[in-house]
Protein backbone atom coordinates (compact mmCIF):
# COMPACT_ATOMS: atom_id res chain seq x y z
CA UNK A 1 0.00 0.00 0.00
CA UNK A 2 1.32 3.45 -0.85
CA UNK A 3 2.62 6.01 1.64
CA UNK A 4 0.02 7.79 3.79
CA UNK A 5 -0.41 11.38 2.60
CA UNK A 6 -0.21 14.23 5.12
CA UNK A 7 -3.29 16.13 3.85
CA UNK A 8 -6.85 14.85 3.60
CA UNK A 9 -7.17 13.54 0.02
CA UNK A 10 -9.92 14.74 -2.31
CA UNK A 11 -11.05 11.33 -3.54
CA UNK A 12 -13.07 9.01 -1.30
CA UNK A 13 -10.96 5.98 -2.25
CA UNK A 14 -7.82 7.88 -1.32
CA UNK A 15 -9.31 8.91 1.99
CA UNK A 16 -10.19 5.29 2.72
CA UNK A 17 -6.66 4.32 1.76
CA UNK A 18 -5.37 6.98 4.11
CA UNK A 19 -7.41 5.95 7.18
CA UNK A 20 -6.53 2.28 6.70
CA UNK A 21 -2.83 2.81 6.15
CA UNK A 22 -1.82 2.01 9.75
CA UNK A 23 -4.24 -0.94 10.16
CA UNK A 24 -2.95 -2.35 6.84
CA UNK A 25 0.66 -2.07 7.96
CA UNK A 26 -0.21 -3.82 11.24
CA UNK A 27 -2.16 -6.58 9.52
CA UNK A 28 0.59 -7.12 6.97
CA UNK A 29 3.04 -7.59 9.88
CA UNK A 30 0.63 -9.97 11.65
CA UNK A 31 0.18 -12.06 8.49
CA UNK A 32 3.95 -12.26 8.06
CA UNK A 33 4.48 -13.17 11.72
CA UNK A 34 2.55 -16.39 11.03
CA UNK A 35 4.79 -17.24 8.08
CA UNK A 36 1.89 -18.41 5.88
CA UNK A 37 4.23 -19.35 3.07
CA UNK A 38 6.49 -21.62 5.10
CA UNK A 39 4.15 -24.60 4.76
CA UNK A 40 0.80 -25.60 3.32
CA UNK A 41 -0.49 -26.07 6.88
CA UNK A 42 0.28 -22.49 7.78
CA UNK A 43 -1.11 -21.22 4.48
CA UNK A 44 -4.33 -23.17 5.18
CA UNK A 45 -4.82 -21.17 8.40
CA UNK A 46 -4.51 -17.95 6.38
CA UNK A 47 -7.12 -19.30 3.96
CA UNK A 48 -9.43 -20.10 6.88
CA UNK A 49 -9.33 -16.40 7.81
CA UNK A 50 -9.93 -15.39 4.19
CA UNK A 51 -12.83 -17.83 3.90
CA UNK A 52 -14.46 -16.56 7.10
CA UNK A 53 -14.02 -12.93 6.04
CA UNK A 54 -15.38 -13.50 2.54
CA UNK A 55 -18.28 -15.59 3.85
CA UNK A 56 -19.26 -12.86 6.27
CA UNK A 57 -19.30 -10.39 3.38
CA UNK A 58 -21.33 -12.59 1.06
CA UNK A 59 -24.56 -10.85 2.09
CA UNK A 60 -23.06 -7.53 0.97
CA UNK A 61 -21.77 -8.88 -2.34
CA UNK A 62 -25.28 -10.12 -3.16
CA UNK A 63 -27.18 -7.12 -1.80
CA UNK A 64 -29.49 -5.68 -4.49
CA UNK A 65 -28.96 -2.08 -3.36
CA UNK A 66 -25.17 -2.47 -3.59
CA UNK A 67 -25.45 -4.32 -6.91
CA UNK A 68 -27.42 -1.38 -8.28
CA UNK A 69 -24.27 0.69 -7.57
CA UNK A 70 -21.67 -1.94 -8.61
CA UNK A 71 -23.36 -4.16 -11.23
CA UNK A 72 -20.59 -6.82 -11.19
CA UNK A 73 -20.44 -7.00 -7.38
CA UNK A 74 -21.71 -10.58 -6.98
CA UNK A 75 -18.98 -11.91 -9.29
CA UNK A 76 -16.33 -10.17 -7.17
CA UNK A 77 -16.98 -12.26 -4.05
CA UNK A 78 -14.33 -14.89 -3.29
CA UNK A 79 -16.08 -17.01 -0.65
CA UNK A 80 -16.60 -19.90 -3.08
CA UNK A 81 -12.96 -19.86 -4.22
CA UNK A 82 -11.70 -19.73 -0.63
CA UNK A 83 -13.94 -22.71 0.23
CA UNK A 84 -12.54 -24.69 -2.72
CA UNK A 85 -9.02 -23.74 -1.62
CA UNK A 86 -9.70 -25.21 1.81
CA UNK A 87 -10.86 -28.45 0.20
CA UNK A 88 -7.65 -28.51 -1.91
CA UNK A 89 -5.70 -28.04 1.31
CA UNK A 90 -7.56 -30.88 3.07
CA UNK A 91 -8.92 -28.40 5.57
CA UNK A 92 -12.50 -28.46 6.84
CA UNK A 93 -14.68 -25.40 6.36
CA UNK A 94 -14.54 -23.48 9.66
CA UNK A 95 -17.64 -22.79 11.73
CA UNK A 96 -18.79 -19.16 11.72
CA UNK A 97 -17.20 -16.91 14.33
CA UNK A 98 -19.42 -14.68 16.49
CA UNK A 99 -19.26 -10.97 15.77
CA UNK A 100 -19.78 -10.88 12.01
CA UNK A 101 -20.96 -7.67 10.39
CA UNK A 102 -24.73 -7.48 10.36
CA UNK A 103 -27.14 -5.12 8.57
CA UNK A 104 -24.62 -2.32 7.91
CA UNK A 105 -25.69 1.09 6.62
CA UNK A 106 -24.74 1.96 3.04
CA UNK A 107 -21.76 3.98 4.23
CA UNK A 108 -20.44 1.18 6.43
CA UNK A 109 -21.00 -1.40 3.71
CA UNK A 110 -18.94 0.65 1.25
CA UNK A 111 -16.03 0.74 3.68
CA UNK A 112 -16.08 -3.04 4.16
CA UNK A 113 -16.31 -3.75 0.44
CA UNK A 114 -13.46 -1.31 -0.19
CA UNK A 115 -11.21 -3.35 2.09
CA UNK A 116 -12.25 -6.67 0.61
CA UNK A 117 -11.69 -5.42 -2.93
CA UNK A 118 -8.43 -3.70 -2.00
CA UNK A 119 -7.10 -6.94 -0.59
CA UNK A 120 -6.98 -8.28 -4.17
CA UNK A 121 -4.08 -5.91 -4.85
CA UNK A 122 -1.85 -7.44 -2.20
CA UNK A 123 -3.01 -10.84 -3.42
CA UNK A 124 -0.83 -10.35 -6.52
CA UNK A 125 2.22 -10.64 -4.23
CA UNK A 126 0.75 -13.37 -2.09
CA UNK A 127 -0.06 -15.73 -4.96
CA UNK A 128 3.55 -15.58 -6.14
CA UNK A 129 4.63 -16.76 -2.70
CA UNK A 130 1.93 -19.45 -2.71
CA UNK A 131 3.35 -20.84 -5.95
CA UNK A 132 6.44 -21.91 -4.04
CA UNK A 133 4.13 -24.24 -2.07
CA UNK A 134 2.88 -25.78 -5.33
CA UNK A 135 -0.37 -23.80 -5.20
CA UNK A 136 -1.99 -21.76 -7.94
CA UNK A 137 -5.15 -19.98 -9.00
CA UNK A 138 -6.60 -23.37 -9.91
CA UNK A 139 -5.47 -25.26 -6.80
CA UNK A 140 -5.26 -24.09 -3.20
CA UNK A 141 -4.82 -20.38 -3.91
CA UNK A 142 -7.86 -19.73 -6.12
CA UNK A 143 -9.05 -16.85 -3.94
CA UNK A 144 -5.79 -14.98 -4.64
CA UNK A 145 -6.15 -15.41 -8.41
CA UNK A 146 -6.31 -12.60 -10.92
CA UNK A 147 -9.94 -11.45 -11.37
CA UNK A 148 -11.42 -11.64 -14.90
CA UNK A 149 -10.42 -8.45 -16.72
CA UNK A 150 -7.30 -7.98 -14.59
CA UNK A 151 -6.50 -6.84 -11.07
CA UNK A 152 -5.67 -3.21 -11.83
CA UNK A 153 -8.66 -2.75 -14.11
CA UNK A 154 -11.06 -4.31 -11.59
CA UNK A 155 -9.78 -2.01 -8.87
CA UNK A 156 -9.92 1.05 -11.12
CA UNK A 157 -13.52 0.33 -12.07
CA UNK A 158 -14.49 -0.24 -8.45
CA UNK A 159 -12.88 2.95 -7.15
CA UNK A 160 -14.18 5.02 -10.07
CA UNK A 161 -17.74 4.08 -9.12
CA UNK A 162 -17.04 4.51 -5.41
CA UNK A 163 -15.50 7.95 -5.93
CA UNK A 164 -18.40 9.15 -8.10
CA UNK A 165 -21.09 8.31 -5.51
CA UNK A 166 -22.93 11.21 -3.89
CA UNK A 167 -22.77 10.59 -0.15
CA UNK A 168 -23.53 12.69 2.89
CA UNK A 169 -20.76 13.60 5.31
CA UNK A 170 -22.19 11.10 7.75
CA UNK A 171 -22.15 8.34 5.12
CA UNK A 172 -18.56 9.16 4.28
CA UNK A 173 -17.63 9.02 7.94
CA UNK A 174 -19.43 5.67 8.24
CA UNK A 175 -17.49 4.34 5.24
CA UNK A 176 -14.22 5.27 6.94
CA UNK A 177 -15.30 3.64 10.19
CA UNK A 178 -16.45 0.59 8.20
CA UNK A 179 -13.07 0.25 6.49
CA UNK A 180 -11.20 0.38 9.79
CA UNK A 181 -13.68 -2.10 11.31
CA UNK A 182 -13.07 -4.45 8.38
CA UNK A 183 -9.35 -4.51 9.15
CA UNK A 184 -10.12 -5.13 12.82
CA UNK A 185 -12.38 -8.02 11.87
CA UNK A 186 -9.84 -9.59 9.52
CA UNK A 187 -7.26 -9.30 12.28
CA UNK A 188 -9.60 -11.07 14.69
CA UNK A 189 -10.36 -13.83 12.17
CA UNK A 190 -6.67 -14.30 11.46
CA UNK A 191 -5.90 -14.66 15.16
CA UNK A 192 -8.81 -17.09 15.48
CA UNK A 193 -7.61 -19.16 12.50
CA UNK A 194 -4.09 -19.56 13.88
CA UNK A 195 -5.31 -20.07 17.48
CA UNK A 196 -7.54 -22.92 16.28
CA UNK A 197 -4.49 -24.46 14.67
CA UNK A 198 -2.58 -24.27 17.97
CA UNK A 199 -5.51 -25.90 19.78
CA UNK A 200 -5.47 -28.81 17.30
CA UNK A 201 -1.70 -29.34 17.46
C1 LIG B 1 -8.37 -7.87 4.58
C2 LIG B 1 -7.70 -6.95 3.95
C3 LIG B 1 -6.28 -7.02 3.51
C4 LIG B 1 -5.32 -7.96 3.74
C5 LIG B 1 -5.43 -9.27 4.55
C6 LIG B 1 -4.11 -7.51 3.08
C7 LIG B 1 -2.91 -8.17 3.11
C8 LIG B 1 -1.77 -7.76 2.50
C9 LIG B 1 -0.46 -8.35 2.65
C10 LIG B 1 -0.14 -9.54 3.57
C11 LIG B 1 0.38 -7.68 1.85
C12 LIG B 1 1.89 -7.93 1.70
C13 LIG B 1 2.22 -8.68 0.45
C14 LIG B 1 3.74 -8.90 0.36
O1 LIG B 1 4.48 -7.93 0.56
O2 LIG B 1 4.13 -10.04 0.14
C15 LIG B 1 -0.38 -6.66 1.16
C16 LIG B 1 0.13 -5.80 0.23
C17 LIG B 1 -0.60 -4.84 -0.42
N1 LIG B 1 -1.89 -4.46 -0.15
FE1 LIG B 1 -3.10 -5.35 1.20
N2 LIG B 1 -4.37 -6.35 2.43
C18 LIG B 1 -5.67 -6.01 2.68
C19 LIG B 1 -6.33 -4.89 2.22
C20 LIG B 1 -5.80 -3.98 1.32
C21 LIG B 1 -6.47 -2.78 0.86
C22 LIG B 1 -7.82 -2.27 1.35
C23 LIG B 1 -5.65 -2.21 -0.06
C24 LIG B 1 -5.82 -0.97 -0.88
C25 LIG B 1 -6.77 -0.12 -0.74
C26 LIG B 1 -4.48 -3.03 -0.17
C27 LIG B 1 -3.42 -2.78 -1.01
C28 LIG B 1 -2.23 -3.46 -1.00
C29 LIG B 1 -1.13 -3.18 -1.89
C30 LIG B 1 -1.11 -2.14 -3.02
C31 LIG B 1 -0.11 -4.06 -1.54
C32 LIG B 1 1.23 -4.20 -2.24
C33 LIG B 1 2.43 -3.94 -1.43
C34 LIG B 1 2.50 -2.58 -0.84
O3 LIG B 1 2.43 -1.58 -1.59
O4 LIG B 1 2.68 -2.48 0.40
N3 LIG B 1 -4.60 -4.09 0.70
N4 LIG B 1 -1.69 -6.72 1.60
Amino acid sequence: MSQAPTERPALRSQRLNHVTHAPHTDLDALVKSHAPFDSRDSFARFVVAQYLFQSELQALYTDPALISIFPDLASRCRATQAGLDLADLDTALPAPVAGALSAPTLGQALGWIFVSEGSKLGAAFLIKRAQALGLSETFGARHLGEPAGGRAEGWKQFTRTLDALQLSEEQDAAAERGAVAAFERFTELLRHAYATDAALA
Side-chain angles (χ1 to χ4, degrees):
M1 225 161 131
S2 55
Q3 205 55 35
T6 45
E7 281 175 25
R8 193 166 163 78
L11 288 178
R12 178 173 296 125
S13 59
Q14 288 175 356
R15 289 197 297 273
L16 290 169
N17 223 319
H18 179 51
V19 295
T20 56
H21 184 81
H24 185 276
T25 304
D26 292 348
L27 181 57
D28 183 6
L30 183 67
V31 168
K32 287 179 177 146
S33 76
H34 287 294
F37 302 104
D38 277 11
S39 70
R40 283 193 182 189
D41 280 350
S42 184
F43 182 69
R45 303 330 299 172
F46 175 72
V47 183
V48 163
Q50 291 273 34
Y51 172 80
L52 288 167
F53 189 71
Q54 288 295 312
S55 301
E56 291 180 359
L57 293 188
Q58 218 159 3
L60 294 191
Y61 276 99
T62 53
D63 180 80
L66 289 168
I67 290 175
S68 73
I69 299 172
F70 305 100
D72 66 349
L73 194 62
S75 69
R76 289 175 172 267
C77 187
R78 287 164 293 154
T80 305
Q81 288 94 322
L84 291 169
D85 287 337
L86 288 176
D88 294 338
L89 296 162
D90 293 323
T91 301
L93 294 184
V97 176
L101 176 69
S102 160
T105 61
L106 172 66
Q108 272 176 303
L110 292 171
W112 281 76
I113 295 280
F114 170 86
V115 172
S116 176
E117 287 303 301
S119 73
K120 292 177 181 173
L121 299 174
F125 295 81
L126 302 180
I127 197 161
K128 290 203 181 106
R129 309 275 319 270
Q131 280 161 4
L133 295 171
L135 307 175
S136 70
E137 58 184 31
T138 56
F139 182 83
R142 302 161 199 260
H143 77 284
L144 299 175
E146 170 121 32
R151 247 178 246 284
E153 191 48 38
W155 178 242
K156 236 185 275 168
Q157 270 180 23
F158 173 78
T159 51
R160 209 182 292 134
T161 304
L162 180 70
D163 288 336
L165 281 178
Q166 293 292 327
L167 297 181
S168 68
E169 251 177 58
E170 171 45 32
Q171 285 175 314
D172 259 322
E176 293 184 14
R177 287 195 302 272
V180 172
F183 271 99
E184 285 167 358
R185 182 63 179 166
F186 194 95
T187 302
E188 194 179 350
L189 294 175
L190 193 73
R191 290 190 200 285
H192 171 83
Y194 281 95
T196 310
D197 186 41
L200 292 175

